[in-house]
Amino acid sequence: MRALQRAARSELLATGRSSTLDELREQLPLGLVEMLRIPGLGAAKVRRIHEVLAIESLAELEAAAADGRLAALPRFGTKTAESVRRGIASLRQASGLRLFHHALDEIEAVRRALAGLEGVQRVELAGAVRRRCEVIEQLTLVAVHAGGGAREALVRRLGRAPGVTEIGGREGSVTLRFDSGSVVDVLLTTPERFGIDWIRGTGSAAHVAALEARARAAGASLNGSYLDEAGVYRALGLAWIPPELREGDDELEAAARGELPHLVEHTDLRGVLHCHSNYSDGTVTIAEWAQACRAAGYEWMGVTDHSQSAAYSGGLRSEDVARQHAEIDAANARGAGVRVLKGVEADILADGALDYGPAVLDRFDFVIGSIHSRFGMSEVEMTRRVLAAMDDPHLAILGHPTGRLLLQREPYAIDLEQVFAKAAARGIAVEVNADPHRLDLDWRMVRRARQMGVTLSIGADAHSTGGLTHVAVGLGIARKGWLEPHRVLNTRDADGFLAFASRRRARAA
Ligand SMILES: [Zn+2]
Ligand SMILES: [Zn+2]
């Protein structure tokens, strides 16, 4: 153990990373790793919370601290529950940046509270959350009042709203501090100014500046009466631009040419990919997965447990494969209402080989290949490793292609241009991993992959049925990367997906 620590330490000093730490991070659902940052919650307590209450996110933990479930756990009590609640609040205050899903939970709670206040005609999400950015620094809402004296009355009411501990004001907006730790800017506007103020509140700064420049060039004014956003864009000769695209790249030019993409929507998604079951590190049985996916309205789903090398997560040994497949066949025979496909998330080993030999891989309907170890390779080595994996005709999808963990771990070094070129040429999909801690590919790279003709898949990477909510987060990234439905593998029906996944295998055979 001592020698292992020494080796880990010298690696950390030499390369700035630690494979021990990287591999430890692969062992736990990422929401549990976050819980360890709460003062007083050690690994033993986090494990008990996870096992007894089936909690794996900060939002779920906060709810359990508030409704008494946490206090009721043996050796927890009300004092621990209260300190957890305060710990989450101080995490919020301390960290300028938070992940999208945490920011969305925070701002939705505030939005609902403000929507119930007298004098608030309408309140909408704005800022980077509305643009679906992956990490969020500032929370912004836009609230509509009747104008005139209604503004002052509303400001007074906001100061007395439940949970508000402090109210500060700037020109046009107020900043509210809550006892939950949240700090939210609320832009106050009137119905006549709503269209332009919602655009300003949503940003980005670069997008708004580009709009203003366009208005100046046309001799138009943005200070007129605009009841909605579309009116503003129309006045500038533009189609309405979805908020996800408002990053000040070239979206105005595309809107002016009528060439904005028809972005993929949730109703376009027919299948869920990348679900872990209790055959590896998930907590859900095959039957429960089928039921949850049907309830969520999907036609098919792909179970993808970890492969045998993934000792960290109890990967599927080849002798378990038959047992799992029999269980899937039984679920399908019962007519679960959703078709369950047999997938696997196979480790890409250090030399680029996929975990399991061809005989075992042949038994799966499709294979996602992912890197879960040896993150510290040089760019040349890592690129060679992934390109080699893409030579295996079983590989249908390249999973979380850069290994980044937002706010925790940098992406590994890899030349994505080469990866995308090969993916497009071979007909391999590249994943938009929808775990909110990953969101990997990054949306900027999604757009590049789209330009290069790559097919993308939205991977839930869910370890519990609650993880189905990841899909909406990943969808936001797909949209932010300008993806239309036909670019997204999940929009195909089950047979269409299977045809994509097995085409290269058939050719190789
Ligand atoms: Zn993975
Ligand atoms: Zn996974």
Side-chain angles (χ1 to χ4, degrees):
M1 192 63 202
R2 185 74 57 72
L4 197 68
Q5 281 172 355
R6 244 198 325 270
R9 187 155 166 270
S10 57
E11 183 197 0
L12 189 63
L13 290 175
T15 66
R17 37 194 334 150
S18 151
S19 47
T20 314
L21 184 60
D22 281 336
E23 280 156 36
L24 271 174
R25 281 195 181 113
E26 302 293 326
Q27 288 179 17
L28 283 172
L30 294 165
L32 298 188
V33 178
E34 284 175 337
M35 287 183 207
L36 291 171
R37 288 163 55 213
I38 298 172
L41 278 193
K45 279 200 162 118
V46 168
R47 179 171 303 128
R48 197 125 34 88
I49 290 167
H50 179 54
E51 283 171 1
V52 181
L53 300 177
I55 280 173
E56 56 182 63
S57 74
L58 283 182
E60 292 170 318
L61 179 63
E62 189 176 30
D67 68 16
R69 275 176 297 148
L70 196 61
L73 281 185
R75 286 191 283 145
F76 273 67
T78 51
K79 249 171 104 180
T80 308
E82 176 54 25
S83 87
V84 163
R85 211 187 57 74
R86 274 202 313 269
I88 293 175
S90 73
L91 278 186
R92 282 202 184 113
Q93 271 157 351
S95 61
L97 292 174
R98 72 276 266 170
L99 300 178
F100 171 82
H101 68 309
H102 294 326
L104 183 65
D105 288 340
E106 272 187 81
I107 199 167
E108 267 296 346
V110 173
R111 195 191 64 79
R112 279 194 301 273
L114 298 196
L117 282 187
E118 191 191 332
V120 173
Q121 298 186 351
R122 179 174 181 179
V123 53
E124 297 287 352
L125 302 189
V129 170
R130 186 168 178 234
R131 299 201 316 278
R132 303 257 145 190
C133 295
E134 65 277 25
V135 290
I136 308 290
E137 186 160 16
Q138 194 181 333
L139 303 179
T140 310
L141 293 170
V142 175
V144 180
H145 57 79
R151 184 183 191 280
E152 292 316 308
L154 178 56
V155 170
R156 277 196 301 279
R157 247 177 254 120
L158 286 171
R160 294 195 304 263
V164 172
T165 57
E166 205 183 313
I167 178 166
R170 279 188 295 122
E171 194 72 359
S173 74
V174 295
T175 302
L176 301 177
R177 272 177 197 281
F178 290 82
D179 57 6
S180 63
S182 297
V183 179
V184 179
D185 280 343
V186 185
L187 219 157
L188 301 176
T189 187
T190 58
E192 297 73 37
R193 305 257 325 149
F194 176 69
I196 183 62
D197 281 342
W198 201 15
I199 290 176
R200 287 220 166 92
T202 299
S204 62
H207 177 82
V208 174
L211 277 181
E212 281 167 349
R214 191 175 171 90
R216 267 195 311 277
S221 164
L222 294 182
N223 290 321
S225 171
Y226 295 107
L227 301 182
D228 60 24
E229 291 188 330
V232 178
Y233 288 104
R234 210 181 305 118
L236 297 176
L238 302 171
W240 177 79
I241 301 179
E244 295 93 333
L245 306 187
R246 299 183 197 168
E247 292 297 337
D249 296 329
D250 53 354
E251 68 273 14
L252 259 56
E253 290 77 0
R257 290 193 307 264
E259 288 172 6
L260 285 174
H262 172 77
L263 296 179
V264 57
E265 292 178 29
H266 211 143
T267 48
D268 296 321
L269 304 181
R270 303 170 78 161
V272 185
L273 282 163
H274 202 153
C275 297
H276 295 272
S277 80
N278 60 348
Y279 276 89
S280 63
D281 57 349
T283 54
V284 185
T285 66
I286 302 291
E288 286 165 343
W289 261 132
Q291 198 186 3
C293 289
R294 186 195 49 193
Y298 296 106
E299 293 171 20
W300 56 271
M301 66 156 309
V303 171
T304 51
D305 279 305
H306 287 289
S307 61
Q308 58 188 2
S309 286
Y312 53 85
S313 56
L316 199 59
R317 291 165 307 160
S318 44
E319 55 266 34
D320 295 331
V321 174
R323 208 159 50 82
Q324 186 192 48
H325 286 182
E327 204 171 321
I328 292 175
D329 289 337
N332 285 331
R334 276 197 305 276
V338 71
R339 188 158 154 204
V340 184
L341 306 180
K342 299 162 183 163
V344 66
E345 183 181 12
D347 272 44
I348 296 176
L349 306 177
D351 63 357
L354 292 180
D355 199 7
Y356 298 131
V360 177
L361 290 178
D362 267 337
R363 293 158 65 188
F364 291 96
D365 293 327
F366 72 101
V367 177
I368 300 177
S370 303
I371 283 180
H372 295 113
S373 62
R374 302 281 309 274
F375 298 81
M377 287 182 166
S378 72
E379 179 172 320
V380 170
E381 289 173 319
M382 188 60 94
T383 306
R384 194 185 302 136
R385 177 184 182 182
V386 170
L387 293 178
M390 295 169 92
D391 283 330
D392 189 315
H394 295 92
L395 185 79
I397 300 169
L398 177 63
H400 43 75
T402 76
R404 78 169 178 188
L405 297 178
L406 291 165
L407 305 178
Q408 285 188 53
R409 182 172 77 199
E410 290 298 310
Y412 42 71
I414 186 164
D415 182 352
L416 287 175
E417 290 283 313
Q418 289 191 53
V419 171
F420 293 164
K422 189 157 182 172
R426 298 287 173 90
I428 296 168
V430 173
E431 183 179 65
V432 178
N433 189 289
D435 184 319
H437 305 84
R438 294 185 183 273
L439 300 180
D440 177 15
L441 282 180
D442 183 272
W443 57 268
R444 299 159 189 87
M445 289 296 116
V446 172
R447 195 166 173 206
R448 180 67 188 136
R450 170 186 184 267
Q451 283 168 347
M452 293 181 69
V454 178
T455 299
L456 293 115
S457 74
I458 296 175
D461 208 353
H463 293 75
S464 65
T465 53
L468 281 178
T469 58
H470 295 173
V471 173
V473 184
L475 179 74
I477 295 300
R479 290 170 57 89
K480 209 164 173 54
W482 294 53
L483 294 187
E484 305 94 335
H486 73 273
R487 283 314 187 91
V488 179
L489 212 39
N490 312 60
T491 66
R492 305 190 185 195
D493 63 15
D495 288 328
F497 168 72
L498 288 173
F500 177 94
S502 59
R503 205 168 38 206
R504 294 169 58 238
R505 252 192 258 190
R507 228 181 283 147

